[in-house]
């Protein structure tokens, strides 16, 4: 394992200039689901077949993956989503309340979104019922509550463009962390990314990034996107991550973990990245934090239920034979944070 670098003072970075707090939480925006996750399938289901499996888990999913991951890392977190008033929604709400997530910004609807996820061959297939949108940030604006960070996607960024534009004139201003969904139509219309001007950290996966930028490699896509956002981070699954901040290109391999279920891994990566940026870590150290946080979720079925605490991230890092490309500054910071909490 690579030797740890000295931890910085923990001041927020230019990307995340406002320290997360109860008054200025990190807000995860997006649809929330009750996830029913089946693992241990021997193959994809066949018509008419009943396949008995080795594992099943119920947990909040969607934007809740990010919300729970952020909260377990100790960041004050709020969710902006719709929650059902039915039995499924009541279950989701109770699970989120146990994570100490602020649900005061959620809107009630009759039916809770539900997803069934089937994990096999290192990947998953899903079926979903419900809606895929989220409420506007208008409630925050009306309450004069400015988040320290907004974790969202490009569709929501476009819908809330007026509010985000107004917030960007504030000092300090919120950090906007956004991804973009897969385009099932295959058009990859550049207009989908028209409001990247409102984004600070853009986190598409490799397939999305190369298609939208019309490039052939993650490195090329990261450099192209870094011309439009302060930090472009391309997640590559089992191949690691590539990031560019306009002047520096950083590549990290994946951690040496065999995945049982990838549900929520990308959301945990984002949470680890936001945590690191909020504590003033540099680019390579922040990417290392994101990768290790995501890696913690891979060994067991599920998404939000497997989101790690800081102590678990540190123990996980110590257990791995990591590439020297990893910057483990986060371990000193975690030790300081947990020691201060335990006093």
């Amino acid at each position: 394992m690579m030797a740890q670098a000295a931890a910085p003072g923990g001041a927020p970075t230019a990307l995340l200039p406002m320290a997360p707090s109860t008054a200025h939480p990190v807000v995860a925006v997006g649809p929330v689901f009750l996830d029913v996750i089946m693992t241990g399938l021997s193959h994809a289901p066949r018509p008419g077949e009943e396949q008995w499996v080795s594992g099943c888990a119920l947990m909040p999913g969607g934007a809740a993956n990010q919300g729970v991951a952020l909260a377990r890392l100790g960041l004050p977190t709020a969710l902006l989503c719709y929650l059902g008033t039915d039995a499924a929604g009541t279950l989701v709400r109770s699970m989120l309340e146990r994570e100490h997530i602020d649900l005061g910004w959620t809107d009630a609807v009759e039916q809770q979104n539900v997803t069934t996820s089937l994990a096999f061959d290192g990947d998953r297939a899903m079926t979903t019922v419900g809606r895929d949108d989220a409420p506007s940030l208008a409630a925050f604006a009306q309450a004069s509550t400015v988040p320290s960070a907004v974790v969202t996607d490009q569709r929501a960024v476009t819908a809330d463009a007026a509010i985000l534009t107004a917030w960007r004139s504030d000092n300090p201003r919120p950090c906007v962390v956004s991804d973009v969904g897969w385009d099932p139509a295959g058009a990859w219309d550049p207009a989908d990314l028209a409001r990247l001007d409102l984004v600070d950290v853009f986190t598409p996966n490799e397939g999305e990034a190369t298609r939208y930028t019309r490039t052939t490699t993650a490195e090329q896509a990261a450099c192209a996107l870094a011309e439009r956002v302060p930090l472009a981070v391309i997640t590559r699954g089992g191949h690691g991550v590539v990031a560019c901040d306009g002047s520096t290109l950083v590549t990290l391999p994946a951690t040496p973990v065999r995945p049982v279920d990838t549900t929520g891994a990308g959301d945990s990566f984002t949470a680890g990245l936001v945590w690191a940026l909020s504590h003033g870590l540099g680019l390579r150290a922040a990417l290392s934090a994101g990768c290790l946080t995501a890696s913690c979720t891979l060994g067991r079925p599920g998404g939000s239920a497997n989101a790690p605490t800081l102590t678990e991230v540190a123990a996980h890092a110590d257990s791995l034979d990591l590439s020297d490309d990893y910057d483990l500054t986060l371990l000193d910071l975690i030790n300081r944070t947990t020691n201060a909490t335990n006093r």
Side-chain angles (χ1 to χ4, degrees), residues 27-30 66 150-154 156-157 164 176-180:
V27 178
V29 180
Q66 294 171 333
V150 178
V151 181
T152 185
D153 63 19
Q154 280 307 111
V157 167
L164 293 173
V176 178
V177 182
S178 177
D179 60 14
V180 64

Side-chain angles (χ1 to χ4, degrees), residues 32-52:
V32 165
F33 305 84
L34 173 62
D35 279 353
V36 182
I37 301 172
M38 300 282 186
T39 58
L41 280 76
S42 59
H43 55 265
R46 301 185 183 102
E49 175 189 47
E50 179 181 15
Q51 188 177 156
W52 287 80

Side-chain angles (χ1 to χ4, degrees), residues 223 226-227 229-230 243-250 283:
C223 291
E227 295 178 0
V229 295
C244 184
D245 63 4
S247 60
T248 303
L249 182 70
V250 176
L283 178 54

Side-chain angles (χ1 to χ4, degrees), residues 7-13 19 276-281 333 336:
T13 63
L277 293 175
S278 75
H279 285 80
L281 297 190
L333 182 55
R336 290 209 314 266

Side-chain angles (χ1 to χ4, degrees), residues 285-301:
L287 295 173
S288 299
C291 288
L292 287 166
T293 305
S295 178
C296 280
T297 71
L298 297 176
R300 302 187 299 269

Side-chain angles (χ1 to χ4, degrees), residues 215-289:
T215 56
T216 57
T217 68
E219 291 81 2
Q220 292 171 350
C223 291
L225 290 168
E227 295 178 0
R228 303 182 61 186
V229 295
L231 177 59
V233 180
I234 314 301
T235 56
R236 307 182 64 213
H239 298 290
V241 62
V242 175
C244 184
D245 63 4
S247 60
T248 303
L249 182 70
V250 176
T251 301
L252 281 186
T255 60
V257 173
R258 183 179 179 84
V260 172
D261 181 15
T262 60
T263 304
D267 299 311
S268 288
F269 171 87
T270 299
L273 180 68
V274 170
W275 175 85
L277 293 175
S278 75
H279 285 80
L281 297 190
L283 178 54
R284 185 176 293 275
L287 295 173
S288 299

